[in-house]
Amino acid sequence: MKRLILSLILIVTMVLTGCGGGSKASTSTGSDEKGGTETLRIGFNDSLTGAGAVYGLPQQNAIRLYFKQLNEAGGFEVGDKTYKVELVELDNKSDPTEAVSATRKLIDKEGVNIILGWASSGATKAVSAVIGVEYPDVFMLVGTAGEESITADGYANVARIRPPGGYTGDAAGRFVAKEGVKNLAIIGQLKDALYEQYTTHFVEEFEKAGGTIAKTETFALGDRDMYSQISSALAAKPEAIFVPGYVEQAAFVYRQLRENGYDGKIYGFTGGSEAQFLEVATPEQMENVYDLRPVEGTIEALGDNAKAYAEAYEAEYKEPATPNAIYAWDSAIALVEGMQAAGTVDDTKAIIKALKDMPTPESVALKYVDVDGKWFDPNGQTYTSNIALLFKDGKWTYVEDLPADASVYSKYMTSLAEANK
Amino acid sequence: MFGELTQQILNGLVMGSYYILIAVGLSIVFGVLSIPHFAHGSVVMVGGYVTFIFVNKLGVPFILAMLISMILCAAFGILLERSAYRPVRNAPPINAFIVALGLVMIIDNLMTSIFGANQVIIKSPFKSTYTIGSAHVTSLRLFMIGACVVLVAALIIFMKYTKLGKAVRATSQNREASLIVGINTNVVTAIVFGLGSAFGAVAGSLIGALFAVYPTMGTFITQKGFAVLILGGLGSIPGAIVGGLIIGLTENLGSMFISSEYKDVFAFLIMIIILIFKPSGLFGGKGK
């Protein structure tokens, strides 16, 4: 009996641990069905478990949905051929080592030469260095991960849809100063490069405008008990609190700030949706909370493409899309647009060049700010506008745009890339 | 300064209570079987999910759901012992070690496939906030301290004054001698696993309401639990109590006086410092 139970447990484990693997190995394209359609295999590497899953799973949903719609419509044409897409998906567990290992498996074993996904900055940064140096013919197109150096290390085969954190941090710092805040405490996920960079730029601009930082407290990815940081921050008697971090962690900071009797303004950089915050905090605890972020999936501030995407996402998954998922959606659009413009699905260098030469296409969901008339700047980076949202009556409401100069930031990123060469 | 100190001590007592609930379970298992029960964190996580199902999905009141979770987790703990640990009881210790790691992977993967990777939060009826001087504390946090005090007191009474408790202590001191005097050590082992897992269920339920439950939380729980256990002395219940409080308070006071950046480091730092002067832990060798 004991052996039977043990055997059953082992079988269950093997089945379960085998579930996350990719599919059969083959080259990145292959002939398909009756009508001469070919199947294009695209890699997907993202945080499907671990702390980054809160951003990675919605990215997976968006990319799956985009290619499902594309395949059901008969595929897409490049040159005289029609392609349908098969995704080869691996979970990087939000961990840099796992991410590199999954990437090597995707390229060396599964034979893919284009990889989408990438929500967690730490994992993405680790892989960009590997792909940039060891796999010059592989195209890594990043979705949500916002750490600056991902597109400032000078790798020609790495591009990103989401603007870097510092670009938004500059604008956010000016906004908070303009709000009349003079004395601010920071409780942030400052060991994470994205939030550290955003905060550095935020503080520079805030202090330039005459503000002072009363106290800086740090929490780690995965932390949920922030009482000690909150107690220290509140002891400095700040006028407002600034919270950069993952949505889950930030939501706990907001809830616990209110539990500690703090009823002042809170500014955050999280990219979280209403549903994600309300899972942790009550609508009352969320009142007077701002989020200072790139425009992301704030559908009211976007156009018809974004509305169609949001409706399709909700119909497919029975839940609203998280704000970051739209980056993944647009990354899939970028890939198809790039292939069609380059006239190839295999030559990744030609696809990247085509993307860097084109203005923002009409098919995308987000609103981008072109640099010198181009969607992707020479570093493979795109820029959107930034906005301030305020949580009011149970939902995020648009407050105003946060002005930022994409051309200036692009030049700054270029200077970093040149210094890193 | 005084206000912040009061708040940090209160924070430390809350987290200390949580660590005690985890470490007591680990401690009694180690005391009787000398098994590093690394899957205990996963049992805590399962306890949280059981309460989540009963409260959030079936509408059962929180405290009743927690009691059901205690019973189900006790049964789960006994099942783990019977099916996984008992077959390797007489094998080299490394076998139990590997079995424990295997159990962690099995349970964590199973829960991920059932519940997904995202966190869930247990709805709690404790929603008020109280102000004590300049410090704030929620009723759920006070309940955590109260539950810890009541359960640990009950455990001490059980161990000291009941026949079964005396059998557990006897087995913990000398398994062979206990067999000779007629103690059924298999029953004692089952009781120990059941009790430890029930304590774990309480910890999982309370932390699931205070913070969240998610499939990978077990690793962190086990790390902290063993830090408390080693600090207090392996297998010692008083050690687990004092160790839990020391770590809870050190984390919070360290954040206040040094930096919150190293909050998680303080637990292990204080453990190392104490082990330098008392290698068997604070109550090592005396607490059984």
Side-chain angles (χ1 to χ4, degrees):
Chain A
M1 183 62 187
K2 277 179 284 179
R3 285 192 183 140
L4 179 67
I5 292 170
L6 270 175
S7 309
L8 280 172
I9 289 172
L10 280 173
I11 290 164
V12 169
T13 316
M14 281 188 280
V15 169
L16 289 171
T17 49
C19 282
S23 49
K24 67 247 170 218
S26 72
T27 54
S28 62
T29 55
S31 270
D32 186 286
E33 344 159 339
K34 313 122 199 177
T37 309
E38 291 201 8
T39 299
L40 180 63
R41 303 182 77 229
I42 304 286
F44 177 82
N45 184 337
D46 216 329
S47 305
L48 305 181
T49 55
V54 68
Y55 298 109
L57 289 169
Q59 287 216 126
Q60 183 186 40
N61 285 344
I63 286 180
R64 279 182 176 181
L65 177 62
Y66 178 79
F67 286 120
K68 183 186 169 200
Q69 287 183 351
L70 200 69
N71 290 346
E72 284 173 357
F76 66 102
E77 289 178 6
V78 174
D80 56 357
K81 286 184 182 163
T82 303
Y83 294 92
K84 288 187 176 180
V85 171
E86 177 192 333
L87 287 170
V88 187
E89 300 169 328
L90 286 181
D91 175 16
N92 63 38
K93 301 177 184 170
S94 317
D95 175 74
T97 310
E98 288 282 350
V100 171
S101 162
T103 301
R104 291 193 192 282
K105 191 175 173 194
L106 282 170
I107 299 168
D108 299 335
K109 189 177 168 209
E110 300 291 344
V112 304
N113 62 354
I114 295 166
I115 309 179
L116 301 175
W118 315 111
S120 301
S121 285
T124 306
K125 167 71 187 145
V127 173
S128 68
V130 172
I131 286 189
V133 173
E134 295 180 37
Y135 299 99
D137 294 326
V138 172
F139 180 26
M140 174 180 183
L141 184 50
V142 176
T144 298
E147 200 267 341
E148 210 155 66
S149 67
I150 292 166
T151 47
D153 271 346
Y155 301 129
N157 55 338
V158 178
R160 173 167 56 188
I161 289 289
R162 177 234 171 90
Y167 169 72
T168 310
D170 279 342
R174 289 191 289 268
F175 171 77
V176 174
K178 195 189 81 175
E179 287 255 293
V181 176
K182 294 284 178 208
N183 181 17
L184 190 74
I186 299 171
I187 306 173
Q189 194 178 314
L190 302 178
K191 289 178 193 165
D192 186 302
L194 166 62
Y195 299 106
E196 188 272 323
Q197 286 162 2
Y198 181 108
T199 304
T200 302
H201 284 259
F202 176 100
V203 169
E204 268 174 27
E205 292 298 316
F206 180 67
E207 288 183 338
K208 220 185 276 177
T212 53
I213 304 299
K215 187 87 179 173
T216 301
E217 292 290 328
T218 304
F219 57 83
L221 179 63
D223 278 0
R224 285 168 175 81
D225 176 24
M226 318 295 186
Y227 260 60
S228 64
Q229 291 93 327
I230 287 170
S231 304
S232 296
L234 293 182
K237 304 206 180 309
E239 283 173 54
I241 310 270
F242 172 55
V243 184
Y246 272 27
V247 52
E248 284 177 347
Q249 275 67 54
F252 279 105
V253 176
Y254 298 165
R255 181 173 108 180
Q256 292 166 16
L257 273 166
R258 300 308 189 206
E259 286 173 356
N260 273 276
Y262 177 76
D263 59 3
K265 279 185 180 176
I266 303 171
Y267 298 94
F269 167 54
T270 67
S273 68
E274 287 99 348
Q276 287 173 317
F277 278 107
L278 294 178
E279 198 178 289
V280 176
T282 64
E284 294 74 34
Q285 289 168 332
M286 288 295 297
E287 284 290 308
N288 245 346
V289 173
Y290 289 80
D291 208 56
L292 312 174
R293 57 166 81 158
V295 65
E296 293 187 342
T298 311
I299 305 305
E300 312 90 80
L302 298 170
D304 291 341
N305 287 349
K307 287 192 180 79
Y309 145 79
E311 284 165 13
Y313 188 106
E314 192 157 355
E316 181 77 12
Y317 301 111
K318 313 293 179 243
E319 61 182 21
T322 59
N324 77 297
I326 203 165
Y327 292 129
W329 177 267
D330 273 1
S331 72
I333 292 174
L335 184 60
V336 172
E337 292 276 359
M339 285 174 171
Q340 288 178 324
T344 174
V345 297
D346 299 318
D347 184 349
T348 52
K349 288 191 171 78
I351 296 167
I352 295 163
K353 182 175 183 311
L355 279 173
K356 287 183 179 175
D357 285 344
M358 69 170 66
T360 302
E362 289 181 0
S363 53
V364 295
L366 277 168
K367 280 186 179 165
Y368 293 88
V369 180
D370 286 2
V371 175
D372 297 330
K374 304 286 165 49
W375 185 18
F376 284 81
D377 76 358
N379 306 304
Q381 179 65 59
T382 69
Y383 293 88
T384 64
S385 57
N386 300 304
I387 52 170
L389 299 175
L390 174 64
F391 207 93
K392 206 172 172 188
D393 301 327
K395 58 184 287 195
W396 288 119
T397 52
Y398 171 78
V399 178
E400 63 181 68
D401 274 4
L402 305 177
D405 192 327
S407 298
V408 170
Y409 210 87
S410 176
K411 284 182 185 131
Y412 164 70
M413 292 286 280
T414 303
S415 70
L416 292 180
E418 281 168 0
N420 286 330
K421 270 180 186 169
Chain B
M1 176 74 175
F2 180 72
E4 191 190 349
L5 185 65
T6 314
Q7 183 71 62
Q8 296 288 17
I9 289 172
L10 205 51
N11 299 344
L13 289 176
V14 173
M15 290 317 290
S17 303
Y18 170 55
Y19 296 148
I20 290 169
L21 287 171
I22 294 165
V24 161
L26 277 174
S27 182
I28 53 177
V29 168
F30 193 89
V32 170
L33 293 171
S34 299
I35 285 178
H37 181 28
F38 292 129
H40 188 63
S42 301
V43 175
V44 172
M45 176 259 292
V46 169
Y49 272 113
V50 171
T51 306
F52 166 76
I53 291 168
F54 277 95
V55 174
N56 292 38
K57 305 287 180 192
L58 303 176
V60 174
F62 180 77
I63 293 177
L64 178 60
M66 199 167 75
L67 292 172
I68 296 170
S69 179
M70 286 174 77
I71 295 165
L72 293 178
C73 274
F76 182 51
I78 292 168
L79 177 73
L80 288 183
E81 191 277 322
R82 288 291 301 254
S83 59
Y85 288 122
R86 195 174 295 183
V88 295
R89 188 193 290 167
N90 298 318
I94 186 76
N95 292 21
F97 181 85
I98 298 299
V99 164
L101 292 180
L103 285 174
V104 172
M105 280 191 269
I106 291 167
I107 299 168
D108 290 5
N109 277 300
L110 191 62
M111 298 309 271
T112 304
S113 67
I114 296 171
F115 292 98
N118 286 337
Q119 66 177 16
V120 296
I121 296 170
I122 300 167
K123 289 180 195 160
S124 129
F126 303 103
K127 296 190 186 303
S128 340
T129 302
Y130 303 104
T131 305
I132 304 166
S134 58
H136 301 272
V137 64
T138 62
S139 48
L140 182 59
R141 288 178 166 249
L142 286 177
F143 183 75
M144 170 92 89
I145 296 173
C148 175
V149 170
V150 170
L151 286 170
V152 169
L155 180 72
I156 291 170
I157 291 167
F158 168 79
M159 295 291 258
K160 275 200 159 181
Y161 301 109
T162 69
K163 206 174 163 186
L164 268 176
K166 286 173 185 167
V168 170
R169 283 195 291 144
T171 310
S172 161
Q173 282 164 9
N174 191 322
R175 191 176 190 89
E176 284 70 32
S178 305
L179 273 169
I180 291 166
V181 297
I183 292 172
N184 185 338
T185 54
N186 283 339
V187 171
V188 167
T189 304
I191 287 169
V192 159
F193 261 88
L195 270 176
S197 303
F199 268 75
V202 176
S205 305
L206 291 172
I207 214 68
L210 198 57
F211 304 131
V213 184
Y214 48 99
T216 52
M217 67 193 282
T219 311
F220 176 75
I221 291 170
T222 306
Q223 275 176 10
K224 279 282 165 77
F226 271 97
V228 172
L229 204 62
I230 292 166
L231 171 63
L234 287 167
S236 160
I237 293 173
I241 298 166
V242 175
L245 284 175
I246 288 177
I247 288 192
L249 288 168
T250 308
E251 283 179 348
N252 283 275
L253 295 175
S255 294
M256 179 184 168
F257 290 111
I258 303 171
S259 166
S260 55
E261 203 170 337
Y262 308 108
K263 190 179 162 195
D264 286 327
V265 177
F266 295 133
F268 294 96
L269 200 61
I270 196 81
M271 184 188 84
I272 292 166
I273 291 168
I274 288 180
L275 290 182
I276 289 170
F277 297 102
K278 193 120 184 9
S280 57
L282 288 172
F283 292 77
K286 292 192 291 184
K288 284 182 178 179

